[in-house]
Amino acid sequence: MDLWSLTWTMMSCCLGAFSLEVTVKGAQLMPCDEDDRVCVSSPGDCGPRASSSVLKTLNMSCYYQNLADRMGSLTCGWTQESNTESDVSLVFTSWNKVLSCQGIFNPAATLNVTARIRNHMTGTQIWSQPHSVFLYLAIKPSQPVLTLLGSTEDSVVLSWSSSITGSCQLRYRPNNTSTWTQVVDSITVLARQNVSYSIAKLQPFTVYRAAVACRGRFGVTSDWSADVTGKTLDRAPSRPSDVCYRREETGSGGSALLHLMWKAADPESRIVGYEVSISPDGTMKNVTEAMALLVVEEGNCTVTVRAFNTAGFGPAAQLRINTQRQITLLSIRNLWISSCYPGNKALLVQWMLPTAPSSAPPLTHIAVRWRPEKSPSSSRWSRVSSVTTSTIVPDLDPNESYMVSVFPIYNQQTGSPQSLSASLQQGALMEAVSLKVINVTKTTLTIMWAWQRKSEPIRVDRYSVMLRRDSDRQTLFLWSDQRQHTFSSLKPNTEYSLLLLADNVSRNVLTVVTEFDEVPTVATVIPLLLLVVTVMTIYILFRTMYKSNFFPISSPKGSLAGRWLMDPNRQQDSAEPRILDLGDFQVLGEKSLIILSPADQLPSEEELHEDMSPLSVRGFGLQMSTLRLDTVCVCDAPPITEQSGHQDSETSREAETTLLLNPREANGYFPQKEEDVCQISQPSETPQHILDGSRGGYQMTSESFLRKLEAETLSDVSYLICDDKYLSNSCCRAETTEEEKTVSTA
């Protein structure tokens, strides 16, 4: 294609159509021998058309340009449905005979333009219907020349001239972007007239590019002019910065360390630096970052921060601080960063709010700062509410890593920041490694891990540790501000698996066995002790209730012996010793009833033999001079032997039953005083002090006991009248009068 140049532009649209444009210069045309009115750019276009060619109507439009060599050019364009690889050429037919094809393009000429399209894949040819063009009406205006007249803080002023009368369109864009912004208004121009226009509402101190194109009365638009660059002026900050601080100890007395940080309140203004001054110290310094570290004297001071640029200083922000007042301010917890790339060039920053003590000021908002790690001075800020736990950091460079810091703000004070490195490609640039067990007990397990910079380019949204035993699982999410954790409520002497997970991929697996439970724990011992105490209490209460209901024991204070022992006058009644000499009667056989009474009350021997037989009475009288026994002792009835008659058994049982049931009614058988009656239900060994001058009741149970008692008595002898067969374990009733006290010497 040395003889002609073919230029076309194809672009896709929403309907799938493609725009094609072809430009042919006059110097590239040649005549056809067969027809002197036709000029072509390729000799193959001359001659008759092939029978297999297709005739098609194209929506063609053309415009004419008068070039500097005065040869001119003609550009025609149309749209087609497919973007197939093909050759395109134009055939020009004049109404008159053409003397020179190179001069065919002149404003007075009228031409029919036909397009021929050859498809390489199918070999077919498509010929368009002829399109008539009057070149004078299709003249394309020449490219305007645009110049910069001046600029302000938010505008630039441009100037240009048009070769034709018509209208012009202006466009602009910041120098660091590729998207153009069209000026809405269409600017009317006259041929050869200079036009000026001001583009407003621009950012201060920013470089912009602009271009202009003009269209004639017949609808043909010129090419865009060459880009012109202009820079807006700087604008002084219009509002003071938001300043807060954090106090730290310096380690030396009399001074404190202040961490100052601030955010520019006027985002539209360019900030070159900040002037920070302290009074009454008079210290002043300029910084480029939105933070400063100052050492101040203890006491009250005033910090002033002013932003400035080439246009001047902005309003001052003042902060009055009492460095002696210390308030504990907590930082945020559990910071983590996830990436939204490539769907969005942003990072998702998440955290948990601190739990501030009641003495601390209220949490007013959260400040998020991010800056490229390679250029820390160019930091950006975001401010969110005090109840927000996440935010989006937008418009980041995929090839850059950033340091993201989160500050809790309490009025004008700030807690310690939590920081984490991140990038769009990998998210948080930290990974959990070196999982190990540091302590194991019967029911607890303490683990530790470390954080380090990522060693490989992978993206992990979450790290976690899982403690697993069969189907029982405990999962712990790991955060950058944590280094260890204790799992509790585990089972003794049990094997567990410990897994370090990156998302759902296992990074490390450990096997741990809890200690053996040899000694019962406090939680086990205490219930056992409570159970023992409860059982003992129930046993004691049951035993007490059982004895009180089934085996009642009368109070000694209510008995005759008890009253006698508590009687203060008993020494007068027992001035003389009264000893019962039991050696005068032998234990010969079964149990018998023994009645002791004064001699004057005893029946005579004849009366005794007349009233009752020895077997039926089973009793005797005893005259005592040294011992007074005011007791009736009821003993078990003797067994009935074969020698006893029927009448004697009935009489004996009746007397014994009467005595057991009602001792007072037994006087019919045994004379006694009513007030000196007692009962003893079970045998006991008689102490020596009761026999020596005491009053009471006793029961004799064996021959050995009687012999012992006989050996311990005095030499006084008592008179015993009894049945000579039944003496052992007898119950006794004794009464002594004053007249009988002298008998003991006999």
Side-chain angles (χ1 to χ4, degrees), residues 182 266 703:
Q182 294 268 354
D266 187 5
E703 181 180 358

Side-chain angles (χ1 to χ4, degrees), residues 17-68:
F18 295 86
S19 175
L20 188 144
E21 189 175 82
V22 180
T23 299
V24 178
K25 293 181 179 180
Q28 299 170 342
L29 295 178
M30 61 186 65
C32 288
D33 296 337
E34 295 83 0
D35 192 346
D36 56 1
R37 295 182 304 144
V38 177
C39 296
V40 296
S41 57
S42 174
D45 295 338
C46 296
R49 301 174 185 175
S51 59
S52 61
S53 61
V54 178
L55 184 64
K56 188 175 182 180
T57 302
L58 300 178
N59 186 16
M60 185 183 297
S61 62
C62 301
Y63 61 85
Y64 164 71
Q65 278 186 301
N66 189 9
L67 301 179

